[in-house]
Amino acid sequence: VKWPNDVLLDGCKLAGTLIEIQAESHGFSQVIIGIGINVNMKQADKQEITQAWTSLIEKIGTYIDRNQLVI
């Protein structure tokens, strides 16, 4: 089972979360939680994306170091 959830900014997708659960009725269960953030994507780079989206660089106007963002 997967549940995608979009994080929108001004009506455009900025990030998304994904939760995946694998469970057995009499066994182990696993949960994987992931986060994806459009950090330094520019509109000219990804013309094939069909939904409205944005990125932090588009909104802030400056390059963002992903390592610093995670910290």
Side-chain angles (χ1 to χ4, degrees), residues 17-51:
T17 60
L18 176 69
I19 300 172
E20 183 174 332
I21 298 173
Q22 297 176 343
E24 299 292 329
S25 59
H26 298 294
F28 291 103
S29 299
Q30 297 180 14
V31 176
I32 300 169
I33 302 172
I35 300 170
I37 303 172
N38 297 336
V39 179
N40 292 311
M41 291 175 51
K42 295 182 180 177
Q43 294 292 333
D45 295 337
K46 300 291 178 186
Q47 294 294 330
E48 67 273 4
I49 298 175
T50 58
Q51 73 182 82

Side-chain angles (χ1 to χ4, degrees), residues 39 41-44 53-62:
V39 179
M41 291 175 51
K42 295 182 180 177
Q43 294 292 333
W53 65 275
T54 190
S55 67
L56 292 176
I57 196 171
E58 295 276 332
K59 294 297 180 179
I60 296 172
T62 186

